[in-house]
Every structure is written in C-alpha cells, then in structure tokens.
Amino acid sequence: EPEVTQTPSHQVTQMGQEVILRCVPISNHLYFYWYRQILGQKVEFLVSFYNNEISEKSEIFDDQFSVERPDGSNFTLKIRSTKLEDSAMYFCASRPFSGSSYNEQFFGPGTRLTVL
Amino acid sequence: GDSVTQMEGPVTLSEEAFLTINCTYTATGYPSLFWYVQYPGEGLQLLLKATKADDKGSNKGFEATYRKETTSFHLEKGSVQVSDSAVYFCALIPNDYKLSFGAGTTVTVRA
C-alpha cells in the first residue's frame, strides 16, 4: 500500500541553523500539508500546498518557514533560522484530488526536530 | 472558528473493558469528521471517518457516529486490547480541507 515517507526521522540542530525536512507524498496525490506537534500538545496545521503554491497557512507559518516541491516527488519544509520553540514533531500529509478518499489526509511517520 | 474538543485523558482501562472517548465540534457548514490514532513512537494513522450526519465510521472494532444534533463524534470500542494503547485524536475538516485536531486522549490498556 502506498504511503507517505519522511526523512530524517530525527533531526538535531543548533539554534539559528537552517533545517530542511523532507517528505515524499503518495505519488498520485495533489494536495500536500505540513503539521506540527509540540511535545504533549495538539497537532497544529502549518501550511497547505496545491498546484505549486501555498493555498493556506497558519499564523505559525511566518517568514522563517517555507515550503517547496523541488521535483515531482519531494515536498520540503525549510526553517531558515531555528528557534528553541521550533522543537516539535513535524508531520507531512498528502491528499488525493478525487475518489472515495478525496477528503482524507494520509500522514507520514513524522520528523522529530530538536533545537538546542 | 472551527474547533474540536475531546475528552481529556489519560484513560487507563483493563483488557476487555468498554472504551468511550467523547468528542464534540464547532464548525460552520458540514465538516467531515475523523479519528486518528498515534501508537507509541509512530505517526498518525486514520482510524475511521464519517462525512455526513448519521454516518457511522468503523474500523478495528472502533465505531463513531456523526451526530449533527449534538455536534458530537464519540469514539467507542466494546472490548479493548493491550494493543489499543495509543493516543487518539478527534479531527474535523471543514470546507477548506485543513484538519483541526483535538488535544488527544492517551489510552492505556492493562493486561
């Protein structure tokens, strides 16, 4: 069964450094998302992406964040200058354009980001 | 705005006990409702969903019914197993397809 994959599974970085989190969505999906979950808190929406542009972003997704689909398979989240409060689990998700699962988001296993 | 409120945990049960996790929502329009499960050390997996009023989602012995009149989507399982120990998240998608999650309920099942 196709699945969303994310790399790395765990990233440790120093405050102020740039990080890129990578995701490979399910191949025929057209909508892509990033969410984050700070330890012990709820999962929060960051951004949605469709047709090579951001379709919606939350107030968390400030100028330090960016997303990109550099090729036909990867979907990346970049944090330009990490802060301690960026430490969280980051989940990528993708959704098909149509079909019985059109409103169902399929999640990857997550990348745990630790900012020191 | 759209939001989900779910029962706070943690919940600790014995094997074969009955599990209920309450979930209520606030949304404009007619959202789709979901339960996601997060097993220890793993990502989010869709457990079940319902897309319109009175729909019942079911999977792995879990059930939830979309109740528009009470704006609820309570999760139930008649006989839990140790392997059901996980964090359960209620979530909704309003028309814009951005998921809104509840805070999560940690369930621990003892043998």
Side-chain angles (χ1 to χ4, degrees), chain A:
Chain A
E1 187 173 329
E3 58 184 20
V4 177
T5 60
Q6 290 185 241
T7 54
S9 56
H10 191 190
Q11 174 93 45
V12 180
T13 190
Q14 296 291 324
M15 191 170 56
Q17 295 297 303
E18 174 184 286
V19 293
I20 298 176
L21 309 184
R22 290 183 167 79
C23 169
V24 179
I26 294 173
S27 63
N28 62 346
H29 287 188
L30 298 181
Y31 296 88
F32 313 113
Y33 305 84
W34 283 101
Y35 293 81
R36 80 170 185 191
Q37 183 185 26
I38 295 172
L39 188 64
Q41 299 185 23
K42 68 165 63 177
V43 179
E44 302 170 291
F45 168 79
L46 290 178
V47 66
S48 59
F49 190 87
Y50 169 71
N51 199 26
N52 281 321
E53 60 183 33
I54 291 173
S55 42
E56 190 170 357
K57 59 184 180 179
S58 72
E59 55 199 28
I60 302 168
F61 195 89
D62 61 22
D63 291 345
Q64 292 302 309
F65 291 87
S66 63
V67 288
E68 192 178 30
R69 188 151 162 83
D71 52 45
S73 59
N74 290 282
F75 179 52
T76 61
L77 174 68
K78 182 194 289 187
I79 309 175
R80 262 179 271 282
S81 178
T82 50
K83 303 188 283 287
L84 295 176
E85 54 265 38
D86 293 328
S87 296
M89 180 75 90
Y90 287 81
F91 292 105
C92 172
S94 68
R95 177 171 73 84
F97 179 76
S98 61
S100 61
S101 299
Y102 78 97
N103 65 348
E104 181 181 328
Q105 294 181 23
F106 293 77
F107 282 79
T111 293
R112 179 165 297 286
L113 176 65
T114 302
V115 182
L116 303 176

Side-chain angles (χ1 to χ4, degrees), chain B residues 3 15 48:
Chain B
S3 66
E15 214 165 18
L48 53 83

Side-chain angles (χ1 to χ4, degrees), chain B residues 6-26:
Chain B
Q6 68 180 96
M7 188 174 92
E8 289 191 21
V11 174
T12 303
L13 303 163
S14 298
E15 214 165 18
E16 299 183 4
F18 184 85
L19 171 67
T20 297
I21 304 176
N22 289 340
C23 171
T24 57
Y25 68 90
T26 302

Side-chain angles (χ1 to χ4, degrees), chain A residues 29 94-107, chain B residues 23 25 31-37 45-67 72-76 88-93 97 99 101:
Chain A
H29 287 188
S94 68
R95 177 171 73 84
F97 179 76
S98 61
S100 61
S101 299
Y102 78 97
N103 65 348
E104 181 181 328
Q105 294 181 23
F106 293 77
F107 282 79
Chain B
C23 171
Y25 68 90
S32 294
L33 302 174
F34 303 81
W35 277 99
Y36 280 85
V37 60
Q45 299 176 27
L46 179 67
L47 181 59
L48 53 83
K49 68 177 183 181
T51 57
K52 60 184 188 297
D54 300 325
D55 266 3
K56 178 187 282 189
S58 60
N59 186 27
K60 299 182 181 180
F62 289 89
E63 292 183 342
T65 301
Y66 189 144
R67 302 282 188 205
S72 65
F73 192 54
H74 305 321
L75 182 69
E76 297 182 336
Y88 293 82
F89 293 92
C90 187
L92 67 82
I93 285 184
Y97 294 110
L99 271 168
F101 284 89

